[in-house]
Amino acid sequence: MNDRVERLDVPILMDEAWHYASGEAMERFSTGLAARRIEALRCDGCGRRYLPPRPMCGNCRLRMTHWVAVDDTGTLEAWTVVHQPILDGRTGEERPSPYGMGLIRLDGADTTVNHFVQTGGPRRQGVTPPGPPLFIGQRVRAVWREELRGAMDDILHFEVVEP
Amino acid sequence: MRSVAVVGTGQTKHARRRDDVSQAELVREAADAALADADMCAEDIEAVLIGNMELFEGRGLPELWVGGGAYGTGKPVMKVATGGTSGTSTAIAAFHQVGSGLFDRVLAVGFEKHSEGHTQTGMALTDPFWDRAVASGALGNFALSVSQYVAAGHATEDQAALVAVKARRNAARNPHAHLQMPDLTVDEVLASKMLAHPLRMLDMCPQSDGAAAIIVASDAVAREHNPRPAWVKATATRHDQCYIGDLDRRLLSMRTLRDASAHAYTQAGITDPVRDLDVAEIYEPCTYAELAWYEALGFCEAGEAGRLVEKGVTSMTGALPVNPSGGVLSTNPVGASGVIRVAEAACQIHGRAGQRQVERADLALATGYGVYAWADVVVLGSEP
């Protein structure tokens, strides 16, 4: 290795949107979110209720068409508090930290949802103040945005339900 | 399938930044080292396979820009991409190309130059409809899975710290390694910065610039080019469903790695991996993952991995040294990391691992880990 540093900076400045077809299952799911409704697809083979809903059960290779209602309350199955600034894939901005996140098994679903979990008082500018520790098995419920847009971030975060 | 062997390996010096070379030059450095190790010249190579994580460097078609660096001009060149397993999958693709009889001499090279691009951009662009608002990269994914592993009582933070110490101390004997910390202690690991509970800075792999290459040859050619070829005894790869929430208690179940290793062990006639294997190079992106992989790979019973590392079973002087190279915890140019695992395992069989050589390396394991949805397992041996 030679120690001479040669590096040319090449900025990429883009204001670009990508356009994705959601597919039939995700379209129904997104439409539901706009009405604060969460629906999963159930496999008729193994009975697993999938979020996000998708056309086929990966385990049974069966097409799924059976929709089931899912609650916006659930149980924390895994958790962390992220202390590092992490890039938000929608904006390119760094997310203020620390923040809590978890895998939540919503009542009525068998897969888990990856989402923010508020540990303390109200989030201020995206920052979660220190609060009581999270633990697996904790009951949580979704906190919804006031104006729903039919996207997953209509759920702002999950908050701990006091026992 | 006819006998196939790794006859040469080559690695760059891996580092936080390799500003002294371009991506193509970095690939050339690894390719030249592997060719020299196999006593071959570029004209001998019939086909080239490339492993890389394309979004990380911010340039489309990486195989186009580095193909020439890998001596691919005028030859079949293709890229293999399966997340973090890309490197092991690239090696396995080379085994298939030679084993099938298509070619007798194939170069497989993996590279990454994390310092040039923006790794987080690649990691942040998850499913646009589902978790892009929340996704917190490899760090967030691992922290979630590790919380379950710890809650189930399978490892303590002290046991995880022992893995960090073992890796960085081993790396001090590997001239290619990025993080070399011969004096690292458990206390220093536990005092390192908390990144995402319970993962600290020294629990995680670094981001490295580096490339690694192997030369894969058929039966007769292999014997001509290496006195002790590393013969391919088994390969297995497994894919799983794509969302993190699809997999319950991921580190505890790890069905991809469990299935792949069980399949590979059967092919290679391995019944007790700790007894039968002489060395393992496993793809461990964080300390707790190494412990979870011990369980999935059958090195111990569920919940016993922490005690295995405490007893030194996987240290350089233990029954099964794991990652004499220092592993991914010490060196992680992602697209190269899987090739490095295979190259290190082969290098041990060749008897060319220098200060990190284990005694009597006749059977070696290499694994790959991709996102949470891929696992690759390779077994190499001193006999075909």
Side-chain angles (χ1 to χ4, degrees), chain B residues 273-341:
Chain B
V274 172
R275 183 197 64 203
D276 297 344
L277 290 166
D278 299 309
V279 61
E281 278 286 340
I282 66 174
Y283 194 118
E284 75 327 358
C286 73
T287 52
Y288 293 90
E290 174 157 332
L291 297 172
W293 299 174
Y294 288 175
E295 298 176 20
L297 290 166
F299 294 176
C300 61
E301 297 296 321
E304 294 295 318
R307 270 184 282 283
L308 208 66
V309 77
E310 279 175 352
K311 288 190 287 187
V313 173
T314 56
S315 72
M316 280 304 283
T317 53
L320 176 58
V322 173
N323 293 1
S325 66
V328 176
L329 282 170
S330 303
T331 302
N332 192 30
V334 176
S337 288
V339 179
I340 295 173
R341 304 279 74 70

Side-chain angles (χ1 to χ4, degrees), chain B residues 240-256:
Chain B
D240 212 322
Q241 297 184 85
C242 60
Y243 297 98
I244 187 175
D246 288 345
L247 309 171
D248 261 342
R249 291 156 56 91
R250 175 163 59 102
L251 289 187
L252 294 160
S253 56
M254 205 56 204
R255 74 174 178 182
T256 49

Side-chain angles (χ1 to χ4, degrees), chain B residues 334-350:
Chain B
V334 176
S337 288
V339 179
I340 295 173
R341 304 279 74 70
V342 176
E344 287 287 336
C347 199
Q348 292 284 350
I349 303 276
H350 296 162

Side-chain angles (χ1 to χ4, degrees), chain B residues 114-242:
Chain B
H114 286 281
S115 77
E116 294 195 349
H118 204 247
T119 304
Q120 272 210 25
T121 301
M123 296 300 293
L125 296 178
T126 58
D127 185 305
F129 301 111
W130 182 244
D131 64 354
R132 192 173 290 184
V134 185
S136 298
L139 180 66
N141 280 347
F142 265 109
L144 290 171
S145 299
V146 169
S147 76
Q148 298 173 323
Y149 190 70
V150 171
H154 282 224
T156 64
E157 59 181 11
D158 288 38
Q159 291 167 336
L162 282 172
V163 175
V165 167
K166 172 175 79 66
R168 279 56 175 262
R169 287 189 178 186
N170 284 357
R173 288 190 301 274
N174 174 5
H176 303 288
H178 171 182
L179 295 180
Q180 298 170 314
M181 303 168 134
D183 304 316
L184 184 65
T185 65
V186 165
D187 286 344
E188 285 170 326
V189 177
L190 296 177
S192 66
K193 188 182 173 204
M194 184 64 81
L195 301 180
H197 186 90
L199 296 175
R200 295 183 168 87
M201 179 73 91
L202 288 171
D203 282 313
M204 291 300 292
C205 57
Q207 292 179 358
S208 316
D209 287 0
I214 57 170
I215 310 283
V216 180
S218 59
D219 200 340
V221 177
R223 291 175 203 278
E224 274 172 39
H225 283 271
N226 193 310
R228 221 178 123 80
W231 300 98
V232 179
K233 308 292 288 181
T235 69
T237 86
R238 291 289 185 278
H239 177 61
D240 212 322
Q241 297 184 85
C242 60

